[in-house]
Amino acid sequence: MSVEKPQPVQHLADYRPWPFILSQTRLDVTLAPRDTVVLTELDLEPSDQPVDLVLDGGAGLRLQSLRIDGLTVDPAHVLRDDETLTIRASALPRVPFTLATDVRIDPQDNTAFEGLYLSGGIFCTQCEAEGFRHITFYPDRPDVMTTFRVTLRSDLPVLLSNGNPVRAQDGVAEWDDPWPKPAYLFALVAGDLVAVSDSFTTRSGRAVDLNVWVRPGDQDRAGFAMESLIKSMRWDEDVYGREYDLDVFNIVAVDDFNMGAMENKGLNIFNSKLVLASPDTATDGDYERIEAVIAHEYFHNWTGNRITCRDWFQLCLKEGLTVFRDQQFTSDLRSAAVKRIEDVQTLRARQFREDQGPLAHPPRPDRYEEINNFYTATVYEKGAEVIGMLKRLVGDDGYARALDLYFDRHDGDAATIEDWLKVFEDATGRDLAQFKRWYTDAGTPVLTLQETWQDGTLTLDFTQQTPPTPGQPDKPARVIPIAVGLIGPNGDEVAPTRVLEMTEDRQSFSFEGLGARPVASVLRGFSAPVMLQRQMDDATRAFLLAHDTDPFARWEAGRELALSALTQLARGVDAGDDYITAIGALAGDAEADPAFRALCLNLPGEEEIATRLAATGTTPDPDAIHQARAGLARRIAMAHQDLLAELYDTMTVPGAYSPDADAAARRSLRIAALGLLGRIDGGDRAEVLFGIAGHMTERMAALAVLLRLGRGDSALRMLHDEFADNRLVMDKWFGIQVMAAPPSDAVAIAERLAARPDFDWKNPNRFRALLGGLAANHAGFHAADGSGYAFTADWLMRMDAVNPQIAARMSTAFETWPRYDAARRDHARNALERIASLAGLSRNTREMVSRMIAAGR
């Protein structure tokens, strides 16, 4: 790979509309692994003032011809560098014209999986964010929307593109997409594929052909994906009134994919791990993830495709809204309370960490160097939280009116955050100028609460402050919706949920006419993505865990009780008795949802404990944290072994495996009990379960227990012998060995696995499985001798030369390095600086690493 030249920083303030009108794009693509021919015709209308025509196009494009209205353009009027092709204004007609290019590209050599590439003999594309410029010369920006007519030529049996099929004969297929779209939504797929097919009739009577395309032999694992698609289509009609708008909807599963999936209009391309599932190969988590991601990409048809983003600074407009919609979908199909807690766990683990480190940025940044580095938890998860707050503030009816207006007003547009907020202002009459700060300001607000009780009145005094982030040292107050309820001394709710709207740096709210001092249940439903600081003793936390009527607040009380114990234990202070007693009572509550009880039984992770310690000014010790967590889990198991054994036995799900919510909930509680029991039974139950389990969910849970105890060798061999040819199960096999390993063994295991011939590191899934598994082993990755850092750096440098996007994204394992002790910081800094000094380092990875290095200065 050639040395990447520095990328100029892009600024939101510099946005200018593209000075031409593009009315149609016609592509004629003759596919060949080494010499694909791309013939492109662009129907263009010039601007009022003569300007150069600048098209994006990478160095890998081999230009054969360039014509305007059939005439070759004089080379003297053409400039080209590694990223653009420019035709001087003097060579352009002053009337509408057609620009035609003949380009040759090499899909087989495209290991970055950006643009057109080969995945196991299947031609496929990934064009978001800026992949289309690696296919042909084009105005590759999201605000240039036009219709596409595509002709594909190949002897491969299946030839797919966007829109509706209009011609199919031997070796040729023609597709027409009548809906204007930007180039990042273009897609083509060609290969030896088979379809699992069904149909859907929209509420207006349109018949839609549905296909999930997979490799031959995989079709028996695509049925759940099809079920999920049909559920998504029906839900979007019922809840948002959005009807599908083409005659066919295709999903294709490919093995080599940098992301999870892509919402290309009418032709969604998916990472195969998010399509293929059967009980013997996929876990409950896999099934739920497939259901959610298929919904997410389908929902993009309206929130992302029919209405797209004007520029990449507005990325959270399409992604935050669509994540919020898929969260609603999962909440409706499964447990809303459990889904909300899981979303908060994800937000805190990924986005709060991002907000507190060198990679912090607003949901809508005002600058970037490499846009692929901004597909982040802040854009997606925090973007969804901002939508949720907006809905909470305007109410369900206001939200519904605003969304209807958004679709009516901006269908066919490339919109902005300003457009989005204006719709809500017009639909509800609210002024959202202050609320907009959630989009423009980075960082997680810290909400501090003090309580006063006097003469039957409880007063809650809140202050808000957002810590400095890179480039944003000072931030004014935001609008923060704070959902509060009151629990009386006898455990009854004396005041139902009320949403307090905080708009100032400091603000007080009072509850009057109370007979006795209640306990305030604050931030119910996690009503805003903030960190709440509140003086509360463990007895009060235990009271809320027992009596709070809000599921999130109840779980949060237990989480805080656990973190209180774990942080003390990690400092060498004895603690945990209150938590052990309280969690036993909850686990035995037969009226509570099994999935909720399972969530409460799962202790906070080591990364979360480290974050809490760092927030209180204590330097985290990964080894002490690991010991504290393991010790508390063992004490819980010892105290409640009879109850846990009963749960393990009674939560067995009889009959054939089903991924439905109720069955998955029971299994989750059984697995949580197994994990704790493994702390005291030496893994005996886990060994038996691994041998008799009829599905992958319980086999992987049992294997994790065995690996943690150093008893997993036999189970690993059995799994490998059975599934050596199944790429997705083998990804699990690689990842779990490092993730569940005793920390002292984690790096050595990772090194051994990396040396295996079946460690296909150029495949993103396999690379993420191993490197992500090590990063998830907190004490293993942060090994005191720096071996975890060194191993990760070695592989990031190797991957960067092949696939910069994957290397850059995996580099975030180092994100929190400055908070550890001096020796670990030295090791981490050395690893980061070694990456930064690599000749030819991509701008993707260079940007990430340089920001992380700067955080330690």
Side-chain angles (χ1 to χ4, degrees):
M1 177 176 287
S2 61
V3 175
E4 289 272 4
K5 68 178 183 180
Q7 171 79 351
V9 174
Q10 307 297 311
H11 294 270
L12 173 61
D14 293 338
Y15 170 82
R16 298 293 182 273
W18 197 57
F20 294 81
I21 296 173
L22 176 57
S23 57
Q24 188 179 50
T25 295
R26 293 179 295 281
L27 296 173
D28 190 309
V29 184
T30 302
L31 294 163
R34 288 289 188 187
D35 191 32
T36 288
V37 178
V38 183
L39 306 178
T40 307
E41 292 185 345
L42 307 179
D43 291 339
L44 293 163
E45 182 178 333
S47 62
D48 294 337
Q49 300 298 320
V51 293
D52 293 347
L53 174 60
V54 181
L55 302 175
D56 300 299
L61 303 183
R62 305 191 300 275
L63 181 63
Q64 306 299 303
S65 67
L66 180 65
R67 300 182 305 279
I68 292 178
D69 291 336
L71 301 176
T72 299
V73 180
D74 185 344
H77 297 293
V78 179
L79 300 176
R80 179 156 182 211
D81 58 26
D82 286 347
E83 297 187 355
T84 59
L85 181 147
T86 301
I87 304 175
R88 292 298 194 191
S90 57
L92 300 174
R94 300 301 306 137
V95 295
F97 63 94
T98 298
L99 176 71
T101 57
D102 179 341
V103 165
R104 310 297 165 94
I105 57 177
D106 183 353
Q108 187 165 302
D109 194 45
N110 183 359
T111 61
F113 307 140
E114 187 178 22
L116 176 65
Y117 64 94
L118 276 167
S119 173
I122 299 173
F123 288 92
C124 59
T125 54
Q126 172 54 34
C127 293
E128 188 176 356
E130 296 177 339
F132 196 75
R133 65 189 62 190
H134 299 293
I135 297 173
T136 190
F137 293 100
Y138 201 82
D140 191 8
R141 43 188 289 170
D143 61 340
V144 177
M145 302 175 68
T146 188
T147 59
F148 278 69
R149 186 95 173 187
V150 179
T151 301
L152 302 178
R153 305 178 191 275
S154 173
D155 58 1
L156 290 166
V158 176
L159 303 175
L160 306 173
S161 192
N162 308 91
N164 296 317
V166 294
R167 179 166 67 105
Q169 60 191 60
D170 289 346
V172 181
E174 189 172 351
W175 293 79
D176 178 70
D177 189 352
W179 301 102
K181 66 173 181 286
Y184 83 84
L185 292 171
F186 168 79
L188 72 81
V189 173
D192 181 11
L193 298 163
V194 293
V196 172
S197 300
D198 209 320
S199 63
F200 181 82
T201 301
T202 68
R203 62 182 182 177
S204 68
R206 175 194 289 273
V208 182
D209 294 329
L210 308 178
N211 301 293
V212 177
W213 296 91
V214 297
R215 295 180 186 277
D218 284 340
Q219 55 266 46
D220 62 336
R221 294 190 287 146
F224 184 75
M226 178 61 77
E227 293 174 18
S228 300
L229 174 59
I230 292 171
K231 290 176 185 176
S232 304
M233 298 177 80
R234 185 172 295 114
W235 186 90
D236 210 18
E237 288 189 347
D238 292 344
V239 178
Y240 278 84
R242 297 299 101 195
E243 184 175 322
Y244 187 61
D245 51 9
L246 292 169
D247 299 332
V248 61
F249 190 92
N250 288 311
I251 290 174
V252 181
V254 299
D255 292 342
D256 300 291
F257 206 71
N258 286 343
M259 295 186 281
M262 181 59 209
E263 70 266 20
N264 319 294
K265 182 72 177 181
L267 177 56
N268 286 186
I269 300 178
F270 270 65
N271 190 317
S272 58
K273 72 178 182 179
L274 292 170
V275 171
L276 304 179
S278 61
D280 61 326
T281 63
T283 65
D284 288 340
D286 293 329
Y287 276 98
E288 183 172 343
R289 182 72 174 146
I290 287 169
E291 185 178 75
V293 175
I294 283 180
H296 179 95
E297 304 306 336
Y298 175 75
F299 297 157
H300 265 312
N301 186 62
W302 277 92
T303 52
N305 296 2
R306 289 282 289 260
I307 306 175
T308 192
C309 48
R310 186 196 70 179
D311 50 69
W312 291 120
F313 298 99
Q314 321 292 331
L315 179 60
C316 71
L317 175 58
K318 77 179 185 79
E319 294 299 348
L321 176 55
T322 307
V323 169
F324 180 71
R325 277 159 39 80
D326 81 53
Q327 290 173 347
Q328 289 181 295
F329 169 78
T330 300
S331 295
D332 286 351
L333 266 62
R334 296 177 180 266
S335 165
V338 169
K339 173 61 176 169
R340 184 59 185 146
I341 293 166
E342 290 173 342
D343 289 339
V344 174
Q345 287 181 304
T346 299
L347 183 82
R348 286 173 170 170
R350 298 179 61 226
Q351 198 281 321
F352 276 22
R353 166 175 159 160
E354 198 166 84
D355 255 352
Q356 295 163 23
L359 304 181
H361 62 88
R364 185 179 72 178
D366 61 3
R367 68 193 68 195
Y368 64 80
E369 179 178 344
E370 171 53 65
I371 184 55
N372 286 306
N373 289 341
F374 277 84
Y375 283 75
T376 64
T378 297
V379 165
Y380 283 72
E381 277 75 29
K382 189 170 186 176
E385 291 296 321
V386 175
I387 304 292
M389 281 190 293
L390 194 52
K391 183 174 185 290
R392 193 169 283 109
L393 289 169
V394 303
D396 292 347
D397 290 343
Y399 178 80
R401 291 196 307 274
L403 266 291
D404 287 342
L405 180 57
Y406 179 63
F407 293 128
D408 289 344
R409 180 180 291 178
H410 292 292
D411 185 13
D413 284 356
T416 65
I417 293 300
E418 285 75 15
D419 295 328
W420 166 252
L421 293 177
K422 185 67 164 60
V423 160
F424 274 82
E425 290 181 328
D426 291 349
T428 67
R430 286 189 65 112
D431 182 346
L432 296 173
Q434 185 182 15
F435 184 84
K436 184 180 175 182
R437 292 171 186 162
W438 281 104
Y439 283 108
T440 60
D441 290 359
T444 302
V446 176
L447 196 64
T448 303
L449 168 62
Q450 292 184 334
E451 304 174 49
T452 304
W453 168 255
Q454 186 175 4
D455 298 331
T457 297
L458 179 69
T459 301
L460 305 180
D461 296 302
F462 291 99
T463 59
Q464 61 163 298
Q465 188 268 332
T466 304
T469 54
Q472 291 186 327
D474 301 309
K475 303 179 184 71
R478 308 186 195 188
V479 180
I480 300 179
I482 310 168
V484 176
L486 302 181
I487 309 297
N490 64 351
D492 292 337
E493 186 171 77
V494 296
T497 301
R498 166 185 163 192
V499 177
L500 312 177
E501 194 168 325
M502 186 176 186
T503 58
E504 307 294 334
D505 291 325
R506 179 182 293 274
Q507 210 161 339
S508 297
F509 303 89
S510 295
F511 295 80
E512 300 174 345
L514 300 169
R517 179 167 185 165
V519 176
S521 170
V522 180
L523 212 63
R524 285 185 157 185
F526 199 63
S527 57
V530 301
M531 288 184 286
L532 178 64
Q533 293 184 350
R534 176 186 186 186
Q535 292 295 323
M536 184 185 294
D537 58 29
D538 285 350
T540 305
R541 294 187 181 103
F543 175 83
L544 288 172
L545 176 60
H547 300 293
D548 206 318
T549 57
D550 180 79
F552 170 80
R554 189 181 184 192
W555 170 84
E556 179 82 321
R559 198 72 165 182
E560 288 297 316
L561 195 58
L563 282 167
S564 172
L566 287 163
T567 52
Q568 292 180 75
L569 290 166
R571 296 187 185 104
V573 178
D574 186 35
D577 289 346
D578 288 342
Y579 175 71
I580 292 169
T581 300
I583 204 64
L586 175 61
D589 182 359
E591 299 300 316
D593 178 2
F596 177 77
R597 287 189 275 168
L599 280 173
C600 292
L601 276 176
N602 290 323
L603 287 170
E606 294 173 24
E607 177 75 29
E608 186 175 358
I609 302 167
T611 299
R612 179 60 59 91
L613 286 166
T616 58
T618 300
T619 300
D621 179 342
D623 297 318
I625 290 170
H626 178 76
Q627 293 301 322
R629 189 174 185 274
L632 183 57
R634 179 176 174 80
R635 288 167 59 194
I636 294 169
M638 291 291 293
H640 303 300
Q641 55 184 311
D642 291 341
L643 170 61
L644 294 169
E646 179 185 355
L647 291 174
Y648 177 73
D649 292 336
T650 59
M651 287 294 138
T652 302
V653 181
Y657 174 88
S658 169
D660 70 87
D662 290 341
R666 291 176 63 86
R667 283 190 292 269
S668 68
L669 182 53
R670 185 172 197 237
I671 287 168
L674 175 71
L676 290 167
L677 289 167
R679 304 281 181 176
I680 58 174
D681 71 0
D684 291 345
R685 286 182 180 84
E687 187 168 55
V688 171
L689 179 61
F690 184 87
I692 65 172
H695 50 82
M696 186 57 72
T697 300
E698 290 187 345
R699 292 187 82 180
M700 292 302 292
L703 179 57
V705 172
L706 294 171
L707 290 170
R708 189 181 67 234
L709 297 170
R711 292 183 56 180
D713 289 349
S714 176
L716 285 170
R717 283 194 300 271
M718 291 173 60
L719 201 66
H720 181 273
D721 290 346
E722 186 175 352
F723 293 105
D725 295 331
N726 186 299
R727 53 203 178 273
L728 298 182
V729 174
M730 288 304 294
D731 289 338
K732 293 180 173 69
W733 187 86
F734 271 86
I736 196 170
Q737 291 185 62
V738 189
M739 188 184 307
S744 58
D745 299 334
V747 176
I749 292 172
E751 290 172 342
R752 187 185 75 239
L753 290 170
R756 291 177 57 92
D758 52 353
F759 178 53
D760 179 12
W761 62 273
K762 293 182 182 179
N763 174 266
N765 288 350
R766 188 61 50 87
F767 187 83
R768 281 188 289 248
L770 184 60
L771 274 292
L774 179 58
N777 189 320
H778 181 258
F781 175 70
H782 294 288
D785 63 359
S787 57
Y789 306 143
F791 175 86
T792 301
D794 289 344
W795 278 102
L796 291 178
M797 290 188 291
R798 191 172 182 182
M799 177 57 83
D800 185 75
V802 172
N803 191 326
Q805 283 191 34
I806 297 299
R809 287 172 186 163
M810 296 302 293
S811 72
T812 58
F814 287 96
E815 193 171 6
T816 60
W817 73 273
R819 72 185 181 192
Y820 294 96
D821 58 83
R824 286 183 169 87
R825 288 199 305 271
D826 287 343
H827 289 308
R829 183 185 295 107
N830 290 338
L832 289 167
E833 289 177 348
R834 191 155 55 87
I835 297 171
S837 66
L838 180 68
L841 187 68
S842 71
R843 68 189 182 212
N844 304 63
T845 305
R846 185 190 62 242
E847 179 186 19
M848 300 291 278
V849 169
S850 63
R851 289 164 68 187
M852 287 187 281
I853 291 173
R857 292 181 180 142

